[in-house]
Amino acid sequence: MKKRKSTFVNFLLNSLSFFDTTLAIYENIQKGEKPYSDIKSLEEQKIFNIARSFETLSKAFLATYGTLIIYPALLISVVKKGHVKAPRHFSEND
């Protein structure tokens, strides 16, 4: 049976892959073997991949912290709804 990865792990792995791509592009820029126009496009790709890396990393933390915040709120909501419904359910209709 294949174990399913969590949302946090998926976002984290995506962030790391974007960052690895950024490092590879940075190394190509540092070598300077390509013409200037190509280096400019590599620099734009590097900036794009850095942004994507931090975006997916922030989504990973948001998925984790969002769950930690929303789960207790949902639990409290269900408990409050139970208290509202219980008196009606158990009350005797005259």
Side-chain angles (χ1 to χ4, degrees), residues 18 22 45-57:
F18 284 123
T22 302
Q45 289 175 5
K46 182 184 85 169
I47 292 168
F48 174 76
N49 282 314
I50 288 173
R52 288 294 309 262
S53 175
F54 282 104
E55 177 189 2
T56 53
L57 186 62

Side-chain angles (χ1 to χ4, degrees), residues 11-92:
F11 279 131
L12 191 61
L13 291 175
N14 287 341
S15 176
L16 292 174
S17 70
F18 284 123
F19 194 71
D20 288 340
T21 304
T22 302
L23 290 176
I25 291 171
Y26 180 74
E27 289 173 3
N28 286 340
I29 291 172
Q30 290 299 315
K31 289 178 186 175
E33 299 170 354
K34 308 260 181 182
Y36 177 73
S37 63
D38 196 35
I39 288 179
K40 185 177 177 182
S41 73
L42 286 175
E43 185 69 29
E44 290 172 356
Q45 289 175 5
K46 182 184 85 169
I47 292 168
F48 174 76
N49 282 314
I50 288 173
R52 288 294 309 262
S53 175
F54 282 104
E55 177 189 2
T56 53
L57 186 62
S58 66
K59 285 180 182 179
F61 289 117
L62 181 63
T64 301
Y65 291 124
T67 303
L68 292 175
I69 292 169
I70 291 174
Y71 182 73
L74 291 175
L75 186 62
I76 290 169
S77 173
V78 168
V79 169
K80 284 184 179 180
K81 285 181 182 178
H83 286 293
V84 171
K85 290 181 181 177
R88 292 182 191 154
H89 178 70
F90 292 113
S91 68
E92 296 178 21

